Amino acid sequence: MLNKLLQDSIDRRELVELYVSREDFDKFELVAPVAMGTELLLSHDHTTAGVADGFVVHLLDDVLAVGRGTRHIADRVERSVDRAVTSPIFAKALGSWESLAQALIGAKEIVTIDFGDSWLIGQMVRADSEWVCARQFKFSQREFDGEMLLRWRDVEKITFGSRDEQAVAATILGL
């Protein structure tokens, strides 16, 4: 039933409330699903004001509930129309975290990886079925600072293309 509902939302290009927090079931993310693979859901991420801000990827198994047609969504839907187009490469790579990581590595995307109670922003450099290695970007130093190895089972979501990742990319390129 979840896959059918999400596919319907993709086809309609609609906003949904995505519940993925077991600790705080009142908390949700406002997203517009773009593509779904066997394990992952790729969505346009939206701010609390309803403005599109990059992409977010969740494990389908982590989705606890999906809200549709709520007042919260209706109040924000007009501001969500300016969504970036995602590469078909990412949509095709939603079979696993590893396949998505390989696509992100190939595209040299700056990503934010949320894991546990923490996160890192940087660039993935290697990945296999169990681990991902990413170069961490340190804002205070305005440069990459070492690498971090993370287990996929601890990754809660990955975002890319947001204002945060674009700011890092601009810093790296000296813009």
Side-chain angles (χ1 to χ4, degrees):
M1 190 179 310
L2 174 66
N3 287 1
K4 184 177 178 345
L5 182 140
L6 290 172
Q7 187 59 54
D8 188 41
S9 295
I10 291 167
D11 295 342
R12 292 179 180 190
R13 298 178 43 101
E14 72 181 348
L15 289 174
V16 299
E17 297 168 351
L18 196 66
Y19 294 82
V20 292
S21 175
R22 291 190 186 283
E23 288 77 40
D24 185 1
F25 198 72
D26 291 330
K27 180 179 164 189
F28 62 85
E29 296 180 31
L30 189 63
V31 301
V34 174
M36 184 175 41
T38 54
E39 292 184 21
L40 303 173
L41 174 68
L42 173 66
S43 303
H44 287 281
D45 200 7
H46 285 71
T47 66
T48 54
V51 178
D53 187 23
F55 297 94
V56 61
V57 182
H58 290 92
L59 274 170
L60 285 168
D61 284 347
D62 288 348
V63 176
L64 304 173
V66 179
R68 295 172 73 184
T70 66
R71 282 192 195 139
H72 182 82
I73 292 170
D75 290 344
R76 287 151 181 83
V77 74
E78 294 85 24
R79 291 172 282 207
S80 71
V81 294
D82 205 15
R83 299 179 190 143
V85 176
T86 185
S87 167
I89 294 168
F90 300 130
K92 290 179 183 176
L94 297 174
S96 67
W97 281 132
E98 180 186 6
S99 61
L100 178 64
Q102 298 303 337
L104 292 165
I105 290 166
K108 299 186 185 317
E109 283 284 336
I110 301 298
V111 299
T112 300
I113 304 171
D114 287 347
F115 56 97
D117 292 333
S118 194
W119 57 272
L120 75 80
I121 191 165
Q123 204 169 36
M124 295 179 184
V125 291
R126 290 181 302 286
D128 64 20
S129 61
E130 198 172 336
W131 297 90
V132 61
C133 184
R135 298 187 311 155
Q136 301 178 78
F137 186 82
K138 296 293 184 182
F139 284 98
S140 60
Q141 299 164 342
R142 298 177 54 91
E143 66 184 10
F144 288 111
D145 183 24
E147 295 180 351
M148 182 172 281
L149 188 64
L150 303 165
R151 282 190 191 271
W152 282 122
R153 70 176 180 223
D154 296 323
V155 173
E156 294 174 0
K157 70 180 177 180
I158 295 173
T159 58
F160 61 98
S162 75
R163 287 181 295 236
D164 290 339
E165 290 94 23
Q166 289 174 14
V168 171
T171 300
I172 293 166
L173 299 173
L175 302 175

